[in-house]
Amino acid sequence: SDLTEIGLTRVIIQDNFANTQLKSLERSALAPIGTLKAGMYIGYEDRYWLVSGYPGNNGICEKATLILCQLKIKWQNNSGKIIERWANFVSASKYDIGENGNYYITLTSNNFTVWIPEDDDGETLDGKRIFVDRNVNNPHKVFKITRSDDVLYLYGESHGGILSFIADKTEFNNDTDRPDLGLCDYVTVPSKDINPEDVKVEIVGSSFLKCGQEEAWSVSFTDKNGTIINQGFEWNIIFKY
């Protein structure tokens, strides 16, 4: 579910000819018995598809339903570890006008049903705030996970499972939300004695600097477990012509 184990296998993808827009986001996969579990990802047509249904077989092969993952979401668990999952989104506010409030203030509103693989890290998404924005490089649309339907799609250890959440539109917080890192309610973890070889450094920002244009860069340090750590550093800027 975290894409740390990736393998190549042969499957047959069905239902490519959809008659409706919603059905175009669904597929079926045929595979050798024992291949598929709910919560697995299948890479197909340059996209990730989530195995969403209970796999069944006819004694010859097995079949399971797939749903399209539109966006990767990111959050931190209670210890500061960064969790990332490709997720499927379905509107849970079909007839919502997109606004709520009173005579004095108007706020935007929206709701999604979010599906991710069922595992221990995925369960920590409950109650978190996440970015859900098509502008992945500078997101500002924030949603809070307000409900977890954590037992509806649990198919057992042999067949996998899905975690289903409701995400409700909330407001961006300039103090704690970090669009440059793609994380809401960002917290840092005090650094300990860490082997430098285990530290991953990521610089976020444009690869080019144009004359007359303002740019911003940020840096983050994570350990081998993906936990953000505090690490002293200095910028060393080298100009190349």
Side-chain angles (χ1 to χ4, degrees):
S1 56
D2 60 359
L3 298 179
T4 56
E5 297 183 13
I6 298 177
L8 185 64
T9 188
R10 184 178 177 86
V11 301
I12 297 175
I13 303 297
Q14 295 184 324
D15 304 323
N16 281 303
F17 296 96
N19 293 321
T20 66
Q21 185 271 334
L22 290 178
K23 285 297 182 180
S24 71
L25 306 180
E26 301 174 2
R27 296 288 188 273
S28 297
L30 298 177
I33 296 176
T35 301
L36 301 174
K37 283 187 178 183
M40 284 183 172
Y41 293 111
I42 289 183
Y44 175 65
E45 293 183 337
D46 298 321
R47 302 296 300 177
Y48 282 114
W49 299 74
L50 183 65
V51 179
S52 58
Y54 187 101
N57 72 80
N58 59 2
I60 300 175
C61 64
E62 66 181 7
K63 182 177 182 178
T65 55
L66 313 177
I67 52 176
L68 179 67
C69 294
Q70 298 99 329
L71 190 70
K72 181 191 286 185
I73 58 176
K74 183 188 295 188
W75 71 96
Q76 289 177 278
N77 64 13
N78 293 333
S79 64
K81 178 183 177 182
I82 298 175
I83 313 296
E84 294 180 313
R85 293 291 184 273
W86 281 96
N88 169 265
F89 292 84
V90 177
S91 176
S93 56
K94 184 176 181 180
Y95 301 105
D96 187 2
I97 64 172
E99 294 181 348
N100 60 36
N102 51 36
Y103 291 109
Y104 305 100
I105 185 171
T106 300
L107 303 175
T108 59
S109 67
N110 197 5
N111 302 95
F112 290 113
T113 299
V114 184
W115 279 22
I116 63 171
E118 187 271 327
D119 61 12
D120 291 338
D121 285 334
E123 291 179 356
T124 66
L125 178 59
D126 192 13
K128 300 294 185 180
R129 295 169 67 254
I130 58 173
F131 285 114
V132 181
D133 197 326
R134 65 182 297 273
N135 186 355
V136 295
N137 296 319
N138 188 30
H140 280 80
K141 295 180 180 179
V142 179
F143 286 73
K144 182 178 181 180
I145 304 299
T146 57
R147 192 181 84 192
S148 172
D149 298 324
D150 53 359
V151 299
L152 293 183
Y153 310 105
L154 302 184
Y155 306 139
E157 184 176 352
S158 300
H159 304 286
I162 297 293
L163 293 176
S164 175
F165 301 94
I166 295 295
D168 185 45
K169 186 76 160 54
T170 187
E171 297 305 306
F172 178 82
N173 188 324
N174 280 308
D175 297 327
T176 60
D177 297 339
R178 293 285 303 271
D180 55 329
L181 300 178
L183 291 169
C184 296
D185 298 328
Y186 171 76
V187 295
T188 58
V189 178
S191 61
K192 301 178 181 178
D193 295 331
I194 299 176
N195 186 342
E197 296 182 356
D198 294 332
V199 177
K200 178 182 177 181
V201 183
E202 181 179 9
I203 297 177
V204 178
S206 174
S207 301
F208 301 95
L209 181 62
K210 297 181 180 179
C211 182
Q213 179 176 328
E214 181 178 336
E215 295 286 352
W217 287 266
S218 64
V219 62
S220 65
F221 299 89
T222 55
D223 62 18
K224 60 182 178 181
N225 297 318
T227 302
I228 293 179
I229 57 177
N230 290 326
Q231 186 72 31
F233 72 97
E234 294 181 355
W235 291 101
N236 183 23
I237 302 174
I238 300 175
F239 292 96
K240 294 184 178 180
Y241 300 95

